[in-house]
Amino acid sequence: MIPAASSYHLANARVHQSITQDLSATFDADGFALADIAIADGKISSIAAHGGSKAPADAIDLGGRIILPCFVDCHTHIDKGHIWPRKPNPDGSFMGALNATGADRALRWSAEDVARRMDFSLRSAYAHGTRALRTHIDSVAPQEEISWPVFEAMRETWRGRIELQGACLLGIEGVRDKKWFDRLAKRVAAAKGVLGVVTYMVPDLEELLDQVFAQAIKHGLDLDFHADETDDVSAISLKKIAEAALWNGFEGKILVGHCCSLARQPDLEVLDTLDKVAKAGLAVVSLPMCNLYLQDRRGDAVTPRWRGVTLLHEMKARGIPVAVASDNTRDPFYAYGDLDMLEVYRMATRILHFDHPVADWPRTVTATPAKVMRLDGFGTLAAGGDADFILFKGRSWTELLSRPESDRIVVRAGRAIDRQLPDYAELDGLMVE
């Protein structure tokens, strides 16, 4: 359907108001309008309401099929990806995941092992239509000396296909070793990465957060936290992060992931936290598939009773930027997944109710994470922008989100890419005990 020519027209495409710029059209109740899109030399040269101007005779009539911009996946762990076959989670719990991953990392995570699994993950994400991806990188000693050079090499290899960002990952207790953490912050800065930690309700949390913010300010780094990935109502590190951002006067970008416990807390506690998060300018990403898998798992013969996701509707109502993302893929934290952001959005729609109305929820996998990641021009369809988009068969949300759309067409710089997914058999040599 997409020609090999450098210039062509797509007519009768269905685009969404929340992620389409400069389109004067009548949008329906779900936010869609029909548009004609001209492509030239890898760019979108024009986008106009269908029928508003005469399309050329050789324009490709899409019949109302949906076009979305390529996805932006702002929270992943591709250094962990695909270790499940050799180190599964023994009981599906968070601690089971933490312990299994730590054991596998200590035993197996050589540079070759990490690189092969990262590349496999990126090929999957690329085939599904992801244009930019942020991965957390386990950075507990001595792994940071192994994984960060691999990440930097992978970023260069994939430049032009996937914009790759890296954020260090360690438990906040590791910040107590001030000299080591200072070296890690310098290493992250040298790699043009993002400073990240996992927060827990440790007695010295506020002091440790001050050290994290101090290093970010010193090195000019953005911040990315894992916070409150638990059903424990006493876990309030999201609020503590917001307070630390305010009293440190932090001006960089801050993304906080998970925030599960917020959904379990009393209303007054929730309101106080959300007010501080909004005032501090934090953004929040929910990981609906992984949190649904791990949270409220009570063992045999007990059904989970909550969804594990955070309060995205309440956050968005306060102007807090919100996103959803893939998180873990076939590792002890989540046994499934393929870095397919359509699957993430489909699951988020069902779990988090991204419908009635659809409103601007499509921005959670496109424009909003792009802004958090400082990626200008990503996640939107606009005249003058890159011709990076995905063409689906679905003509409405109910069609699009009811099937895997495994035959979608991914277009990069105006050309349809080869969407061949890597074969799991490629990783067999890494799975031998």
Side-chain angles (χ1 to χ4, degrees):
M1 184 176 292
I2 300 297
S6 61
S7 299
Y8 54 91
H9 282 74
L10 302 175
N12 206 15
R14 198 174 301 274
V15 299
H16 199 262
Q17 183 176 23
S18 67
I19 43 182
T20 306
Q21 297 180 3
D22 305 322
L23 176 62
S24 178
T26 300
F27 294 89
D28 65 21
D30 280 339
F32 282 121
L34 295 176
D36 297 337
I37 304 172
I39 309 297
D41 300 321
K43 300 285 187 179
I44 297 175
S45 56
S46 68
I47 180 167
H50 178 57
S53 59
K54 187 173 178 61
D58 61 351
I60 302 166
D61 188 346
L62 297 183
R65 292 177 174 85
I66 291 171
I67 285 183
L68 297 178
C70 285
F71 298 120
V72 179
D73 200 347
C74 65
H75 183 123
T76 72
H77 295 264
I78 64 173
D79 64 337
K80 291 184 176 73
H82 303 288
I83 66 173
W84 180 274
R86 72 191 189 198
K87 201 64 177 178
N89 187 323
D91 56 9
S93 69
F94 182 86
M95 287 308 300
L98 200 65
N99 293 333
T101 300
D104 191 75
R105 181 177 61 237
L107 184 64
R108 304 261 190 163
W109 290 21
S110 65
E112 180 187 3
D113 177 74
V114 173
R116 286 179 60 184
R117 292 186 290 101
M118 275 190 172
D119 184 70
F120 189 97
S121 296
L122 290 169
R123 282 186 285 153
S124 300
Y126 181 69
H128 290 309
T130 289
R131 185 184 177 193
L133 179 147
R134 177 183 289 181
T135 181
H136 296 273
I137 300 171
D138 279 21
S139 297
V140 294
Q143 191 63 44
E144 79 279 15
E145 299 298 335
I146 299 170
S147 293
W148 275 96
V150 172
F151 162 78
E152 290 174 292
M154 201 65 59
R155 182 175 57 194
E156 291 306 311
T157 299
W158 278 88
R159 192 175 298 280
R161 291 177 290 168
I162 291 182
E163 185 71 22
L164 190 57
Q165 291 186 359
C168 64
L169 185 68
L170 67 150
I172 197 163
E173 67 276 6
V175 178
R176 292 176 184 143
D177 187 339
K178 295 181 180 180
K179 290 184 178 179
W180 177 84
F181 187 63
D182 180 62
R183 290 197 300 272
L184 177 64
K186 290 178 181 176
R187 180 71 185 85
V188 172
K192 297 180 174 59
V194 177
L195 195 63
V197 298
V198 184
T199 55
Y200 306 104
M201 295 308 296
V202 293
D204 53 345
L205 176 59
E206 292 181 354
E207 176 187 341
L208 296 175
L209 284 172
D210 278 345
Q211 293 181 43
V212 173
F213 276 91
Q215 288 292 340
I217 292 169
K218 177 181 177 181
H219 296 288
L221 298 172
D222 288 338
L223 288 166
D224 193 316
F225 292 93
H226 285 57
D228 304 329
E229 194 175 356
T230 174
D231 62 358
D232 183 356
V233 296
S234 67
I236 57 168
S237 61
L238 173 61
K239 179 191 290 189
K240 295 296 183 181
I241 292 167
E243 291 172 346
L246 290 168
W247 70 56
N248 280 283
F250 188 72
E251 297 180 354
K253 300 280 190 182
I254 304 174
L255 180 62
V256 187
H258 298 289
C259 311
C260 305
S261 65
L262 188 69
R264 309 278 286 176
Q265 292 166 1
D267 287 347
L268 289 178
E269 181 73 24
V270 168
L271 293 174
D272 183 47
T273 296
L274 294 183
D275 288 344
K276 290 176 178 176
V277 168
K279 185 176 181 181
L282 274 56
V284 174
V285 56
S286 182
L287 299 313
M289 298 193 303
C290 184
N291 287 148
L292 193 71
Y293 175 79
L294 282 180
Q295 296 302 309
D296 206 28
R297 189 180 287 271
R298 306 183 186 197
D300 293 341
V302 181
T303 302
R305 299 181 186 181
W306 74 300
R307 302 180 182 214
V309 291
T310 195
L311 305 182
L312 291 197
H313 287 266
E314 292 83 350
M315 291 175 179
K316 188 159 79 73
R318 282 169 173 74
I320 298 167
V322 294
V324 292
S326 292
D327 205 11
N328 298 73
T329 305
R330 299 184 67 243
D331 67 29
F333 287 90
Y334 184 58
Y336 316 107
D338 200 36
L339 294 170
D340 180 359
M341 288 294 282
L342 179 64
E343 180 191 18
V344 173
Y345 188 77
R346 181 191 305 118
M347 291 296 290
T349 297
R350 298 168 182 176
I351 298 166
L352 283 151
H353 291 171
F354 283 0
D355 50 18
H356 309 295
V358 173
D360 62 352
W361 288 113
R363 294 177 65 87
T364 59
V365 292
T366 53
T368 296
K371 186 173 182 180
V372 172
M373 293 171 64
R374 300 181 183 271
L375 299 173
D376 293 339
F378 283 56
T380 62
L381 299 172
D386 294 328
D388 293 331
F389 54 84
I390 311 165
L391 172 59
F392 299 97
K393 282 192 173 178
R395 299 163 299 172
S396 63
W397 289 122
T398 183
E399 289 185 2
L400 178 67
L401 301 182
S402 294
R403 290 180 174 173
E405 291 273 1
S406 55
D407 54 354
R408 73 193 74 167
I409 298 172
V410 176
V411 175
R412 300 298 305 274
R415 305 291 178 91
I417 68 167
D418 179 1
R419 291 197 56 245
Q420 182 69 37
L421 287 164
D423 192 322
Y424 289 128
E426 294 181 26
L427 299 175
D428 286 353
L430 301 179
M431 302 304 156
V432 180
E433 288 290 342

